[in-house]
Amino acid sequence: MSSTGSTRSSDTGPIPISPSAPDPRRWWALVVIAVAQLMVVLDATIVNIALPSAQRALHMSDGNRQWVITAYTLAFGGLLLLGGRIADLAGRKRTFMTGLVGFAAASALGGAAHTSGLLFMARALQGAFAALLAPSALSLLTTTFTVGKERAKAFGIYGAIAGGGAAIGLIAGGLLTEYLDWRWCLYVNVPIALAALLGAGAFLHDDRRRHGERPRLDIRGVLLGCGGLVSIVYACSEAEPRGWGDPLVLGLLCGGVALLCTFAWWQSRAPSPLLPLQIVRDRNRSGAFLTMGLAVIAMFGMFLFMTYYLQVVLGYSPVKTGLAFLPMTAAIVAGSTQISARLMNHVPPRALMVPGAVLAAGGLFLLTFLPVEPAYVSHVLPAELLVGLGMGLIFMPVMATATAGVAPHDSGVTSATVNTSQQVGGSIGTALLNTIATSTSAAYITAHLKTAAATAAATGGALTPAARDTVVKTGVVHGFHVAIAWGSGIMLLAGLVGGIMVTAGPPKHASPLGDVEAGPPGTETAEAEERHHMRAYEPEDGPP
């Protein structure tokens, strides 16, 4: 069958072929999707710099302030699978627009909050609507750009946002907090969401077709899967103040793992599974999920430690701290849009993932030599550029590989799984590496203060406040060294996983319909759609 003809012959006469011309508004659709995704990603960090101001204004205790962050990550990470399946059942565009409206309303509620409880509730609502928004955005991108250089370019832009959004959040948080008010870190989402909503109505097109009876939502799977994810994310957030050996943390981790194991068992038997197991059984896709999770563990650890290093050790202001991350953001954008997007059509995904992981690991390793004295140009800047370029090389092929070859009716839940690996990886990375850093710093400071005090006493003097501050700062930076070294090793592990598990070759260059048999417009079968999407990537070394 010719892909350029308008009819094909059959025993019953000519049958018109569905037009395969791409949507002329697809690039405006990409702008809308990118704006919405940026809002979701930066909201995970934009509040961090504003947190001290919000704590003073709402009289939060030190023990409760973590809920400004935890409420968002719990709802977001725990409900992503549900949000992805809702997008598949209710429609991607409808779910996307619902997420935008809800996110804007929750942001306005949080900005106007005059009690800590109301702010916590607003942040949880933000996370819940972000769990609708993020998977539907990636799903729309996946079904809008399916083949060729356009897909690579679109995923390059999306990967730049996914990698650089957190750093942009730190910059925006510093500017808004210092020059306006901490509440604007929440209010700023309202005009962004409204603009994206108008754009979604005008430019987004959901071509999801219903074939036969719509499947029901797997309620038992929702309870098991979302319960397990919430338990694990909450355990990671509690590991920071309590430690990994705390009974509550261990209980939540064990309970979460048990729920997820039960969830996997049920998905193999459920008539309409929340997460069809063929999605995670695919070697390339599961390798992409693992690579994403491991890379984000190391990346989020770097954000945490560099924020403390710049503000606490070097005494940077919030604005200066945010701007200090700008070179890394630029490097992520360059790596995703100028390197990955140009090479993705010519080389296998792992040929980008592995060098990207090595570059990022090298940048993290450079930070293990940070001195207590200011060293932005000599240490921080080169490390940021290496990590940024590396993450730009990782994010784009990981997302493209994870969403390639997925039937349209499963694109939402697949996109949700990509976001889940990113969210859970960020939660684990922040908690795990922070625990390593704080425990190492505490041991160093305790031992060296005793030594310094004994030395001062031997000379007939006492330990001066200046000497004590020097020991404390040195101990804090030493803790960063050890934790970032772990992060560097985890990043290398991400590269190893990507190199071994992701065996897909370069994407095939085909027309949007290729040789799929097409009937009259709007009558393509689900099997034909699935064959079309499955041809986007084929294994380089044969089937796993």
Side-chain angles (χ1 to χ4, degrees):
M1 181 186 71
S2 173
S3 62
T4 60
S6 58
T7 62
R8 66 178 172 88
S9 298
S10 72
D11 295 337
T12 59
I15 297 176
I17 291 176
S18 177
S20 60
D23 187 347
R25 301 172 300 175
R26 62 195 180 281
W27 294 110
W28 284 109
L30 175 61
V31 172
V32 174
I33 293 168
V35 168
Q37 178 64 15
L38 177 62
M39 183 178 65
V40 170
V41 174
L42 67 83
D43 213 71
T45 55
I46 193 172
V47 178
N48 285 20
I49 292 181
L51 186 55
S53 300
Q55 182 180 2
R56 289 191 299 269
L58 300 182
H59 310 292
M60 293 182 219
S61 66
D62 288 343
N64 286 336
R65 66 183 177 186
Q66 64 155 330
W67 282 101
V68 176
I69 309 300
T70 305
Y72 181 85
T73 56
L74 270 180
F76 188 20
L79 298 176
L80 270 166
L81 283 180
L82 176 60
R85 182 47 85 192
I86 289 174
D88 288 331
L89 298 182
R92 294 178 282 266
K93 179 177 177 179
R94 182 184 302 172
T95 305
F96 182 84
M97 296 179 75
T98 302
L100 284 172
V101 172
F103 200 89
S107 299
L109 179 65
H114 291 284
T115 65
S116 58
L118 188 58
L119 179 60
F120 299 155
M121 184 180 72
R123 289 287 287 168
L125 287 173
Q126 277 187 307
F129 284 107
L132 287 177
L133 192 54
S136 57
L138 182 54
S139 179
L140 283 165
L141 181 74
T142 302
T143 54
T144 301
F145 298 91
T146 56
V147 291
K149 294 182 178 180
E150 287 191 353
R151 178 180 171 90
K153 186 183 296 184
F155 272 88
I157 294 171
Y158 191 90
I161 291 171
I168 295 172
L170 294 172
I171 298 170
L175 292 170
L176 291 171
T177 301
E178 187 155 328
Y179 294 115
L180 291 175
D181 184 75
W182 68 268
R183 297 180 183 277
W184 277 98
C185 291
L186 295 162
Y187 283 143
V188 71
N189 292 321
V190 177
I192 296 175
L194 292 178
L197 183 66
L198 293 174
F203 302 118
L204 292 185
H205 175 61
D206 187 2
D207 62 353
R208 182 181 61 86
R209 301 178 182 89
R210 297 181 177 88
H211 303 282
E213 183 181 356
R214 259 168 63 181
R216 294 181 178 180
L217 187 62
D218 178 17
I219 301 299
R220 190 178 302 181
V222 169
L223 295 175
L224 291 171
C226 295
L229 289 172
V230 166
S231 182
I232 289 176
V233 173
Y234 183 46
C236 292
S237 66
E238 286 295 307
E240 292 185 66
R242 295 173 179 268
W244 289 96
D246 184 82
L248 175 63
V249 174
L250 291 176
L252 287 168
L253 286 174
C254 293
V257 171
L259 285 172
L260 291 181
C261 289
T262 308
F263 170 76
W265 170 83
W266 170 247
Q267 294 306 284
S268 65
R269 290 158 175 78
S272 300
L274 180 67
L275 176 62
L277 292 184
Q278 69 265 21
I279 290 175
V280 293
R281 282 180 182 145
D282 180 83
R283 175 174 177 169
N284 293 304
R285 195 168 294 115
S286 59
F289 294 153
L290 285 173
T291 302
M292 171 70 84
L294 291 169
V296 171
I297 287 176
M299 183 179 179
F300 270 58
M302 176 194 173
F303 279 137
L304 176 69
F305 301 132
M306 293 314 301
T307 300
Y308 275 100
Y309 175 77
L310 295 171
Q311 285 192 296
V312 176
V313 177
L314 301 188
Y316 280 19
S317 67
V319 171
K320 192 174 181 180
T321 299
L323 293 176
F325 285 100
L326 192 57
M328 184 169 68
T329 304
I332 291 174
V333 172
S336 293
T337 61
Q338 301 303 312
I339 301 177
S340 288
R342 294 176 184 272
L343 296 179
M344 188 65 184
N345 290 312
H346 308 288
V347 300
R350 61 181 174 182
L352 297 172
M353 296 179 193
V354 176
V358 172
L359 276 176
L364 291 172
F365 184 72
L366 183 60
L367 292 176
T368 62
F369 300 98
L370 274 178
V372 177
E373 299 78 20
Y376 182 82
V377 175
S378 61
H379 288 72
V380 178
L381 180 59
E384 284 188 354
L385 294 176
L386 287 174
V387 172
L389 284 173
M391 295 307 293
L393 291 176
I394 292 173
F395 272 117
M396 184 267 182
V398 161
M399 289 185 174
T401 302
T403 56
V406 178
H409 56 268
D410 287 332
S411 62
V413 74
T414 305
S415 302
T417 309
V418 178
N419 282 280
T420 299
S421 65
Q422 186 176 357
Q423 184 65 29
V424 173
S427 299
I428 292 175
T430 301
L432 173 64
L433 298 181
N434 186 60
T435 302
I436 293 172
T438 53
S439 60
T440 303
S441 295
Y444 181 98
I445 292 170
T446 300
H448 284 73
L449 281 179
K450 289 181 180 178
T451 302
T455 302
T459 58
L463 186 64
T464 64
R468 179 183 178 85
D469 288 345
T470 299
V471 171
V472 170
K473 281 189 175 182
T474 304
V476 169
V477 174
H478 175 70
F480 294 168
H481 290 169
V482 176
I484 292 175
W486 276 87
S488 180
I490 293 171
M491 187 66 77
L492 287 176
L493 180 59
L496 181 64
V497 168
I500 293 175
M501 294 188 66
V502 181
T503 59
K508 300 296 182 181
H509 297 281
S511 63
L513 290 179
D515 59 356
V516 176
E517 291 297 314
T523 64
E524 293 85 349
T525 64
E527 290 79 7
E529 288 185 291
E530 184 164 354
R531 287 199 302 271
H532 152 52
H533 283 269
M534 287 297 291
R535 282 202 306 273
Y537 286 79
E538 292 182 359
E540 180 185 40
D541 300 329

